[in-house]
Amino acid sequence: MDLDFNAEELAFRDQVREFLATALPAEIRDRMHRSDDSHIRDDIQNWQKILHAKGWGAPAWPVEFGGTGWSKTEQYIFETECALADAPAQLAFGVKMVAPVLMRYGSPQQQQYFLPRILAADDWWCQGYSEPGSGSDLASLKMKAERDGDEYVLNGQKVWNTLGQFADWIFCLVRTDSSGKPQRGISFLLIDMKTPGITVRPTRLLDGTFEVNEIWFDNVRVPVSNRIGEENAGWTYAKFLLGHERTNIAGIGASKRELARLKQMAAAQPKAGATMLQDPLFATRIAQVEIELRALEITNMRVIFAEAKKQAPGPEASMLKIRGTEIMQRLSELQMEVLGADALIYRDTSGEIARETSTYLNLRKLSIFGGSNEIQRNIIAQMILGL
Ligand SMILES: Cc1cc2nc3c(=O)[nH]c(=O)nc-3n(C[C@H](O)[C@H](O)[C@H](O)COP(=O)(O)OP(=O)(O)OC[C@H]3O[C@@H](n4cnc5c(N)ncnc54)[C@H](O)[C@@H]3O)c2cc1C
């Protein structure tokens, strides 16, 4: 198998690079470079609108829904180049998660209303899967949806809703039947966040920021027409979405960017008359992670080629999630080591120190969200190794 890009793919990469150099606003690039999330909603939405105007708003969607029609390799090149150029990541909840579910299982009315709005960044979506006590064991979720004529009445709580403070809509898993197997009584609802009875409470994180929320539902009335597919069949749609949640989670572009930054930082840090980059022990550790990143990139390419004909990513996505998140965390740990005691100063609002330390703290989440790495190992054991 030839894992190098061919001439057309290299030309495509140059086209993407040229577009990023001219179309990505400098102030957005600068904020992303400094991990400054003070304008995160505007930055993500504005960048999505620029991509949409170019016709690149949904790299993975089929052309009939407004997608690019790009191959998997082109999508990979695009994502990698965006990360290397410090472009904001697209809001995955809309473009990459609920949209594929709508295309596969949504009604024509739902598709016609929501998909163009997702493409144009008119709606901000968040994900309402987890509950207190229902994370890895998601099928145990309790939030109730009781039928009352043409509406469901919702009561319960969701947790860990990433960027839910900005959300116009939430896709939620709710319990519509408690009588049989837990998986058989779950439905998938699309809920307008302006509906009376919804309360969003931010959760303060270790680095002082607010990125996740609790969302409370108190007699919230949702039209039955906002349900995806069949009542009590939501588990099927939820699992389909989770596969998409783990696509591109290897984050090769972001790790390459952070590896380059690590080398720059180490080259500027004095150590015993030389620099940290020249220290044989530290240089070996950088080399180790660089080799692992290259190996992951090759594995990612193999998965992309193998997946090209499939509709949804398979259990290989779990493998990429584990290795990708481990490498990202390792890179941020090495950056912290370069900073040494200076890393103790964080959230200084400007400068490298604030960025590296808050990023390090934030990246602890990677091995937990999107299904924890332990759960991914279970999936690999069962689905790939057949244990
Ligand atoms: C920053 C962040 C953002 C998130 N964003 C969202 C979001 O937007 N929407 C949303 O719905 N959810 C979100 N989540 C929730 C996330 O999906 C859950 O945290 C995750 O699925 C783990 O569930 P839990 O936290 O309840 O841990 P638990 O399931 O209680 O697990 C605790 C520990 O036990 C391990 N464990 C549990 N079961 C097993 C098992 N069978 N075998 C081996 N080990 C096991 C886990 O791996 C973990 O280490 C987010 C989480 C975080 C941290």
Side-chain angles (χ1 to χ4, degrees):
M1 183 188 293
D2 183 3
L3 292 171
D4 286 331
F5 296 133
N6 62 31
E8 277 142 46
E9 287 158 353
L10 289 173
F12 174 76
R13 187 187 65 185
D14 291 343
Q15 198 193 341
V16 174
R17 280 187 183 168
E18 196 186 317
F19 169 72
L20 284 162
T22 51
L24 176 60
E27 68 275 13
I28 297 184
R29 182 194 297 264
D30 180 54
R31 274 195 289 272
M32 292 302 116
H33 188 70
R34 289 185 288 111
S35 289
D36 172 358
D37 55 9
S38 57
H39 295 66
I40 195 71
R41 181 186 167 126
D42 289 345
D43 286 349
I44 291 179
Q45 277 193 313
N46 290 341
W47 179 232
Q48 178 66 26
K49 284 185 190 299
I50 292 169
L51 289 175
H52 178 44
K54 171 83 175 162
W56 290 2
W61 293 13
V63 176
E64 66 262 34
F65 288 115
T68 57
W70 288 341
S71 68
K72 292 267 182 194
T73 310
E74 286 167 332
Q75 292 168 36
Y76 171 77
I77 291 172
F78 175 75
E79 291 233 351
T80 304
E81 292 302 322
C82 284
L84 286 170
D86 282 316
Q90 288 184 283
L91 187 70
F93 304 115
V95 177
K96 294 183 183 172
M97 294 193 203
V98 78
V101 176
L102 282 160
M103 287 178 214
R104 180 81 171 261
Y105 300 107
S107 68
Q109 291 82 351
Q110 289 168 341
Q111 292 175 350
Q112 277 153 25
Y113 180 75
F114 289 115
L115 291 176
R117 298 181 62 84
I118 292 172
L119 208 47
D122 290 337
D123 293 327
W124 185 285
W125 282 86
C126 72
Q127 178 183 27
Y129 273 23
S130 306
E131 296 182 8
S134 299
S136 303
D137 181 16
L138 187 58
S140 69
L141 66 90
K142 293 188 179 61
M143 183 167 132
K144 256 195 190 161
E146 288 169 305
R147 188 83 179 248
D148 182 19
D150 289 341
E151 293 177 325
Y152 289 108
V153 182
L154 272 50
N155 282 289
Q157 183 197 355
K158 294 287 171 185
V159 278
W160 297 116
N161 306 96
T162 301
L163 301 175
Q165 66 267 42
F166 304 130
D168 304 299
W169 285 84
I170 180 170
F171 55 89
C172 249
L173 295 181
V174 294
R175 181 146 307 282
T176 34
D177 185 357
S178 312
S179 59
K181 259 187 91 180
Q183 286 84 347
R184 300 244 172 87
I186 292 171
S187 297
F188 192 115
L189 295 186
L190 312 176
I191 304 167
D192 184 341
M193 289 291 283
K194 288 186 294 300
T195 319
I198 296 181
T199 309
V200 180
R201 291 190 193 149
T203 305
R204 193 182 172 91
L205 299 179
L206 196 57
D207 64 355
T209 59
F210 295 97
E211 189 181 272
V212 292
N213 303 271
E214 294 177 342
I215 305 187
W216 298 78
F217 296 78
D218 183 13
N219 286 318
V220 174
R221 302 188 80 87
V222 177
V224 170
S225 57
N226 281 16
R227 191 187 67 219
I228 294 274
E230 300 293 314
E231 190 171 85
N232 296 329
W235 191 245
T236 305
Y237 320 138
K239 279 198 303 183
F240 175 79
L241 183 144
L242 281 178
H244 283 272
E245 186 170 352
R246 285 170 208 137
T247 322
N248 289 319
I249 206 153
I252 304 288
S255 284
K256 280 187 174 177
R257 186 188 63 214
E258 294 309 314
L259 176 68
R261 185 192 290 269
L262 169 65
K263 287 182 184 173
Q264 276 168 13
M265 288 168 65
Q269 189 72 293
K271 184 166 183 199
T275 68
M276 273 190 93
L277 192 62
Q278 289 162 326
D279 173 61
L281 288 178
F282 199 73
T284 307
R285 293 171 68 196
I286 296 181
Q288 267 166 358
V289 72
E290 185 164 7
I291 291 165
E292 283 175 24
L293 178 56
R294 180 66 185 137
L296 178 67
E297 188 177 19
I298 291 168
T299 307
N300 202 3
M301 296 301 292
R302 281 173 40 219
V303 171
I304 287 171
F305 288 141
E307 257 184 10
K309 291 186 183 62
K310 282 195 267 169
Q311 288 243 328
E316 305 86 0
S318 299
M319 197 166 66
L320 299 178
K321 201 238 156 176
I322 295 171
R323 295 303 289 142
T325 54
E326 283 174 351
I327 288 172
M328 275 191 242
Q329 289 182 336
R330 184 102 47 84
L331 285 165
S332 81
E333 283 157 18
L334 290 173
Q335 289 177 356
M336 293 290 279
E337 278 193 49
V338 174
L339 289 175
D342 287 346
L344 292 172
I345 309 164
Y346 71 92
R347 273 289 149 186
D348 180 9
T349 65
S350 66
E352 292 286 286
I353 294 169
R355 181 204 181 274
E356 313 309 340
T357 309
S358 64
T359 300
Y360 165 80
L361 292 171
N362 190 281
L363 292 191
R364 300 307 96 194
K365 71 188 176 189
L366 294 181
S367 45
I368 303 170
F369 74 9
S372 75
N373 283 9
E374 289 82 6
I375 296 299
Q376 304 310 319
R377 288 193 176 88
N378 286 351
I379 294 172
I380 292 170
Q382 285 162 14
M383 311 281 288
I384 300 182
L385 303 175
L387 298 175

